[in-house]
Amino acid sequence: MLSYIWSIFRQTIEEFTHHKVRTFLSLSGIAIGIFCIISVQATTGSLENTIKTDINKMGVNTIFIQKFPFGSGGPNNWWKYISRPTPTLSEAEYIQEHSMYARNVAYACFNNSNIAFENSVLENVRWFGVSEPFDKVQEVEIVAGRYLSQMEFNQGTNSVVLGYENALKLFENPERAIGKTLELGKYRARIIGVTKKKGRSLIGGWDFDNAVLVSAEFCKKLSNYRRLDGFVMVQTFDGVPMDNIIGELRGIMRANRRLSPKEEDDFSLNDVTAGSAAMNTLFANINLGGWFIAFLSLLVGGFGVANIMFVSVRERTPIIGLKKAIGAKKSSILGEFLLESAFLCIIGGLIGLLLVFPMTFILSNVLHFNIYLSWGNIILTVVLCVILGILAGIIPASIAAKMDPVVAIRSK
């Protein structure tokens, strides 16, 4: 069986080498079609995985209590929400005390200021003032030194955790940063740790690489506490429906702020994963567009392969008659031409697949996220090519299988 398949493959290669231009032009449609399908699949799949990973890093099973709802947009909405009171550390502690569904409740505030070490100055660096449970809600990995201790949170000491990129800029080596004293605004702060390099996020997120982490109590000293942008993060237990925790948090926040039944919420409960359905729809539509473009290219390529097979049947008619005269079955002749057609399509598909590799390299550098080809993409290429080859070769192969051996031998 393998020798039979190998002989047909060699025959296909001979057909390709004898009629290079004709075969290449016919297969170019298949190559373009496969290129469209696989490039769109690889790009959207990689982008979707990257965005989902970034969303998970922002907080799994986590509700953000903020002044602004996600996607509020527009100047009119901005004026509506800016007058709301900013969530505070005391509210985070109140939620932790009264919530049944909350596993961890963390507070975070942020602002920007210059940081300096000796003669080196970094301008407009973002620093986050966080409460003790912050590293339980957000993944904070330390590459050198350590994270803030419970005592440092409680007392609001001047200990800080420096972002990886900031450590490189100021000290050239994260290890050298430990124990050094920074000028953080008008205060001095001691570096106790450096975060692990995370890289750029497509959706923004925390960007710990270029930030500074301090305790929430120390944060109050760095800036006017009432003017800070603060929010509360509530992480639920696994298996708790998000509607349950949102409903509970709404009741707790309204009770804590003493809102009457007729008053609107003066806070927003934001679920970072709520946009997943819309994101899936967006990527599905992009894939659909790629499939439509690819279908047109594959249709043209399929007609090209069918044309090659018709010509091949006509050129090899006497050989087909001779094979049938010495006992070759219809199924054997049919299988021979179908395999040849499939091999031709696979060659075209491989050409298209090879074109995808430089595309992934170029786009990975331009778009700043890794685009990769999965085994699923490669298997999809082979399956599509085999199906297209069978569809394109079925009519010529049927004609060859039904030939009368005597008439075929006498042709030409």
Side-chain angles (χ1 to χ4, degrees):
M1 183 64 180
L2 291 176
S3 60
Y4 172 71
I5 295 176
W6 175 247
S7 65
I8 295 176
F9 179 73
R10 285 190 303 173
Q11 189 170 287
T12 304
I13 297 299
E14 290 175 3
E15 179 71 21
F16 185 82
T17 54
H18 290 162
H19 306 283
K20 296 183 182 68
V21 177
R22 183 184 72 185
T23 307
F24 180 78
L25 290 176
S26 298
L27 297 185
S28 60
I30 297 174
I32 294 172
I34 292 297
F35 173 80
C36 291
I37 292 175
I38 302 304
S39 59
V40 170
Q41 290 280 328
T43 303
T44 57
S46 301
L47 178 60
E48 186 174 3
N49 288 335
T50 301
I51 291 177
K52 286 182 177 179
T53 300
D54 289 342
I55 288 176
N56 289 335
K57 287 180 180 178
M58 290 185 66
V60 179
N61 300 331
T62 302
I63 300 296
F64 285 67
I65 304 177
Q66 300 168 287
K67 294 169 66 171
F68 290 85
F70 288 163
S72 54
N76 295 332
N77 291 331
W78 188 86
W79 283 111
K80 175 183 177 180
Y81 299 124
I82 192 63
S83 60
R84 288 177 168 182
T86 301
T88 63
L89 176 59
S90 61
E91 286 182 314
E93 294 169 346
Y94 183 85
I95 292 170
Q96 184 71 79
E97 182 180 351
H98 291 84
S99 173
M100 295 186 302
Y101 296 131
R103 174 194 288 175
N104 297 298
V105 181
Y107 171 79
C109 57
F110 59 91
N111 207 332
N112 290 37
S113 66
N114 295 344
I115 64 173
F117 176 74
E118 295 180 349
N119 295 325
S120 300
V121 179
L122 299 181
E123 297 181 349
N124 203 32
V125 174
R126 172 153 293 190
W127 45 263
F128 295 101
V130 300
S131 62
E132 184 180 351
F134 181 80
D135 65 326
K136 298 180 179 67
V137 180
Q138 297 296 320
E139 185 180 21
V140 182
E141 296 183 74
I142 304 298
V143 71
R146 61 176 176 84
Y147 189 60
L148 296 165
S149 67
Q150 182 176 358
M151 183 193 71
E152 289 164 332
F153 278 112
N154 293 339
Q155 297 182 0
T157 60
N158 64 340
S159 302
V160 302
V161 175
L162 192 61
Y164 186 89
E165 292 295 334
N166 289 333
L168 285 183
K169 293 172 184 175
L170 291 176
F171 304 100
E172 297 183 353
N173 187 331
E175 297 285 348
R176 294 178 54 192
I178 306 303
K180 300 295 192 302
T181 300
L182 284 177
E183 292 182 16
L184 184 59
K186 61 181 181 179
Y187 289 89
R188 296 172 67 82
R190 183 172 60 90
I191 303 171
I192 62 169
V194 176
T195 63
K196 184 179 180 180
K197 182 178 176 62
K198 291 289 187 180
R200 183 181 299 182
S201 171
L202 293 178
I203 59 173
W206 296 97
D207 191 18
F208 290 135
D209 291 352
N210 296 286
V212 178
L213 290 175
V214 303
S215 69
E217 293 297 331
F218 184 54
C219 173
K220 296 178 181 179
K221 304 174 184 178
L222 294 174
S223 183
N224 186 330
Y225 183 64
R226 296 184 179 276
R227 294 183 180 179
L228 288 174
D229 290 317
F231 52 92
V232 176
M233 297 170 291
V234 182
Q235 185 182 56
T236 70
F237 292 99
D238 293 338
V240 176
M242 298 308 289
D243 289 342
N244 289 12
I245 184 65
I246 288 175
E248 183 195 54
L249 291 176
R250 176 168 285 111
I252 292 173
M253 287 294 295
R254 289 183 64 87
N256 184 57
R257 293 187 174 184
R258 293 180 171 83
L259 298 177
S260 69
K262 294 183 179 180
E263 290 182 286
E264 292 185 0
D265 293 343
D266 59 356
F267 55 88
S268 296
L269 302 174
N270 296 318
D271 178 8
V272 294
T273 60
S276 296
M279 182 182 67
N280 291 336
T281 301
L282 172 64
F283 285 118
N285 290 333
I286 294 174
N287 283 328
L288 184 62
W291 275 98
F292 178 74
I293 296 172
F295 172 76
L296 297 178
S297 298
L298 291 175
L299 185 64
V300 174
F303 281 120
V305 172
N307 178 64
I308 291 176
M309 297 311 299
F310 276 117
V311 173
S312 181
V313 168
R314 187 176 67 249
E315 291 177 345
R316 288 150 52 186
T317 296
I319 299 175
I320 295 170
L322 184 60
K323 287 182 178 180
K324 298 194 72 174
I326 60 177
K329 297 180 180 180
K330 288 184 179 181
S331 59
S332 177
I333 302 297
L334 183 70
E336 176 184 333
F337 281 94
L338 286 179
L339 280 174
E340 184 176 336
S341 177
F343 281 139
L344 282 171
C345 289
I346 289 174
I347 292 172
L350 290 176
I351 295 173
L353 194 62
L354 289 174
L355 294 175
V356 176
F357 281 100
M359 182 277 299
T360 59
F361 177 77
I362 294 171
L363 288 184
S364 293
N365 288 282
V366 172
L367 300 178
H368 302 292
F369 71 93
N370 291 327
I371 300 175
Y372 57 89
L373 283 175
S374 66
W375 281 107
N377 297 140
I378 297 173
I379 293 172
L380 177 63
T381 299
V382 176
V383 171
L384 283 175
C385 291
V386 170
I387 293 174
L388 183 63
I390 292 173
L391 294 176
I394 188 67
I395 296 177
S398 299
I399 293 174
K402 294 177 182 178
M403 282 184 179
D404 182 277
V406 176
V407 177
I409 292 173
R410 289 178 176 176
S411 64
K412 292 189 177 181

